[in-house]
Amino acid sequence: MAQNDMDVVGLYSLGSSSPEGGNHLFVLENGKFVITYFGGVQVGEWSLTSNTTILFTPDIKKNEFELYGRYNKNIGNTVRISFEGFEEASSFISLKKTKDDKHIMKKVFNENANCFNYPYVKNFRSTTETISFMVLKEEMETLIYDFNTKGFNDFIAFFCKNEDEAYPFYATFKHNRLYLDENGYSTKQQLPKEGEDIDFIRRVASKNASNKTILCNPSYHLFEGNINENHIFDKEKGAYINPQCYIEGDEFMDKEEFFENMEIIYEYEALKISLSKYHEFRVDNTPIFITNCQ
């Protein structure tokens, strides 16, 4: 692809004259970009419009929550949920066994949560037909997001924080430099190969992309790239495995230690959503996760 031939993938420092007011621009291999700035991030897609010109288009999110699910025969009559991004707001969850049950909205993270260590996964000892989410906002009507979860028991939930309105912008790439205007440029640096910072960037880029399906390993680490390049689908396991590296039982390894292992991959399906401003609900402020620096 021309994008790869131009080799624009990399890390760029942005000055205050940047059209987005950012500090750093991460241009990723999968056509996504992430701008980090004080107090937040901006995610979008980049594409080559000429031999040297790149169009950066920010993602526009319509829904604050997205839920992906699959059926996991190994967890029985329980519900497992991996929470992504819920630390960014006063977020709540409800599991209802039937559509007529009341919404009991349980807080996901404690107030002033910090010192995060991903992933955040919770096993609920129940079944559910509906999983609901909401964010409490001052002086705004509460919106509840209901997802039909019948037939699924293993989920990845995303909270997608709505940022300020953003606009597409162009840049020119020449001689390993990215020009945001005629005079200002940033020299490309290589993306970090590993570490918490680049893991966070890739996770944020993936969660802000609305897809019909997503791919994850058993530790809920998102898989990027061509799944058919090294993996084959194993019907019995309901998963893609790398036959050259997979060891029987890898999927049952400790989730934190297994986080980087991509030898077995599961596919999750985007679930249907309905919105309501008129649900009656009760708040349970006892958080599912408590994380604080001492």
Side-chain angles (χ1 to χ4, degrees):
M1 295 175 61
Q3 293 170 343
N4 294 329
D5 293 341
M6 200 168 65
D7 198 21
V8 69
V9 171
L11 170 62
Y12 302 86
S13 295
L14 301 179
S16 58
S17 61
S18 163
E20 301 305 319
N23 292 325
H24 293 91
L25 167 63
F26 294 79
V27 181
L28 304 179
E29 307 90 337
N30 62 349
K32 300 292 292 185
F33 76 86
V34 177
I35 293 177
T36 60
Y37 56 91
F38 182 76
V41 297
Q42 181 187 108
V43 179
E45 298 181 354
W46 65 271
S47 58
L48 189 63
T49 62
S50 72
N51 289 337
T52 59
T53 303
I54 304 162
L55 172 62
F56 292 90
T57 306
D59 287 343
I60 304 298
K61 297 301 298 182
K62 293 183 179 179
N63 297 320
E64 289 182 300
F65 294 97
E66 292 180 351
L67 186 66
Y68 294 80
R70 73 180 184 97
Y71 177 72
N72 185 345
K73 64 181 181 181
N74 297 317
I75 62 175
N77 292 324
T78 64
V79 171
R80 180 182 295 167
I81 304 176
S82 175
F83 294 85
E84 291 280 350
F86 281 72
E87 70 279 7
E88 297 179 12
S90 181
S91 53
F92 294 78
I93 182 175
S94 173
L95 276 67
K96 299 198 306 176
K97 291 185 178 180
T98 71
K99 294 180 180 179
D100 296 328
D101 289 346
K102 292 183 178 180
H103 288 82
I104 301 176
M105 307 303 298
K106 188 172 182 62
K107 195 170 181 61
V108 179
F109 280 94
N110 58 292
E111 293 293 333
N112 302 315
N114 52 27
C115 290
F116 300 104
N117 183 24
Y118 301 97
Y120 282 94
V121 181
K122 174 67 175 178
N123 288 319
F124 297 88
R125 295 184 178 277
S126 65
T127 57
T128 180
E129 288 190 0
T130 304
I131 295 179
S132 307
F133 302 100
M134 74 176 190
V135 172
L136 286 181
K137 301 176 181 178
E138 294 183 4
E139 300 178 357
M140 293 184 66
E141 195 168 12
T142 300
L143 190 64
I144 292 182
Y145 296 73
D146 287 337
F147 291 87
N148 179 5
T149 60
K150 192 172 183 179
F152 300 89
N153 61 358
D154 192 349
F155 304 94
I156 305 173
F158 294 95
F159 172 68
C160 309
K161 187 176 181 179
N162 290 325
E163 305 292 348
D164 295 335
E165 188 173 7
Y167 299 93
F169 61 96
Y170 289 91
T172 301
F173 187 77
K174 293 180 180 180
H175 308 300
N176 232 32
R177 294 174 176 177
L178 191 69
Y179 292 82
L180 296 172
D181 55 44
E182 293 182 358
N183 299 316
Y185 67 85
S186 177
T187 302
K188 187 184 80 169
Q189 305 174 48
Q190 294 300 316
L191 291 173
K193 292 185 178 180
E194 57 184 15
E196 292 184 2
D197 289 344
I198 191 62
D199 286 345
F200 170 77
I201 292 298
R202 295 190 186 283
R203 185 166 62 249
V204 167
S206 296
K207 81 176 183 180
N208 277 273
S210 297
N211 299 308
K212 292 182 179 180
T213 61
I214 58 174
L215 299 169
C216 293
N217 73 359
S219 298
Y220 302 96
H221 191 168
L222 290 165
F223 174 86
E224 295 184 277
N226 181 3
I227 190 64
N228 296 311
E229 186 173 345
N230 296 308
H231 294 70
I232 60 173
F233 187 76
D234 186 303
K235 187 175 181 179
E236 182 178 348
K237 296 181 180 297
Y240 294 92
I241 64 170
N242 184 339
Q244 296 183 342
C245 303
Y246 171 77
I247 298 174
E248 188 65 39
D250 272 352
E251 58 268 40
F252 303 110
M253 297 289 289
D254 180 86
K255 291 293 184 289
E256 291 187 10
E257 294 181 4
F258 198 81
F259 191 69
E260 299 293 338
N261 191 311
M262 292 291 177
E263 312 312 341
I264 179 167
I265 303 294
Y266 296 107
E267 184 174 78
Y268 288 76
E269 176 184 336
L271 301 186
K272 293 183 178 180
I273 187 173
S274 61
L275 304 176
S276 176
K277 296 181 180 179
Y278 307 108
H279 281 314
E280 292 184 2
F281 62 88
R282 180 167 64 85
V283 170
D284 179 356
N285 278 312
T286 305
I288 296 172
F289 303 108
I290 299 177
T291 175
N292 277 319
C293 289
Q294 298 297 327

